[in-house]
């Protein structure tokens, strides 16, 4: 198996468990250049809140979207948007990525901004 298939296999297992819990899901995707965070409804059919490094407001504040500082900013933004939408608690879906570096920075920033998971 290559790295991509292994990551997707881990992601499917995580999403299967989260779907059993029937809670909002904070899904994270990272590429080399950017990081994206979406809060998805418990049914899995709608994106309720999103934030990423491709948003113009974020691009003004960070020069590079592929570093820990950008991930921290995206974590804060997604938590603020979630609280404004009335979402207090989510399940963290790291999409098969290791809980390390940018993924960890995004999660910790979201927790500090008041999101519970």
């Amino acid at each position: 198996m290559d790295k991509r298939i292994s990551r997707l296999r881990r992601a499917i297992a995580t999403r299967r468990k989260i779907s059993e819990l029937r809670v909002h899901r904070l899904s994270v995707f990272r590429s080399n250049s950017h990081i994206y965070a979406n809060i998805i409804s418990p049914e899995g059919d709608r994106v309720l809140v999103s934030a990423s490094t491709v948003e113009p407001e974020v691009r003004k504040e960070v020069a590079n979207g592929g570093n820990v500082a950008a991930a921290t900013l995206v974590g804060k933004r997604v938590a603020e948007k979630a609280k404004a939408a009335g979402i207090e608690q989510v399940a963290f879906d790291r999409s098969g990525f290791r809980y390390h570096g940018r993924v960890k920075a995004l999660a910790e920033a979201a927790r500090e901004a008041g999101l519970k998971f």
Side-chain angles (χ1 to χ4, degrees), residues 20-92:
E20 292 173 7
L21 298 174
R22 307 297 283 166
V23 294
H24 295 288
R25 172 168 59 111
L26 173 58
S27 179
V28 175
F29 178 77
R30 68 173 173 83
S31 67
N32 287 338
S33 305
H34 298 286
I35 191 159
Y36 308 84
N38 296 315
I39 295 183
I40 300 169
S41 68
E43 297 80 30
D45 59 347
R46 289 180 309 178
V47 174
L48 305 173
V49 176
S50 68
S52 71
T53 53
V54 296
E55 294 176 346
E57 297 84 17
V58 177
R59 305 261 320 160
K60 290 177 188 173
E61 296 185 35
V62 291
N64 182 6
N67 58 20
V68 172
T72 302
L73 185 61
V74 170
K76 288 178 187 174
R77 283 185 57 85
V78 75
E80 290 167 0
K81 288 181 178 182
K83 292 188 74 103
I87 301 169
E88 296 288 327
Q89 189 161 1
V90 296
F92 187 63

Side-chain angles (χ1 to χ4, degrees), residues 86-108:
I87 301 169
E88 296 288 327
Q89 189 161 1
V90 296
F92 187 63
D93 175 11
R94 56 190 173 87
S95 300
F97 296 109
R98 289 175 51 198
Y99 188 78
H100 175 265
R102 290 188 286 159
V103 175
K104 182 178 178 180
L106 189 144
E108 290 177 351

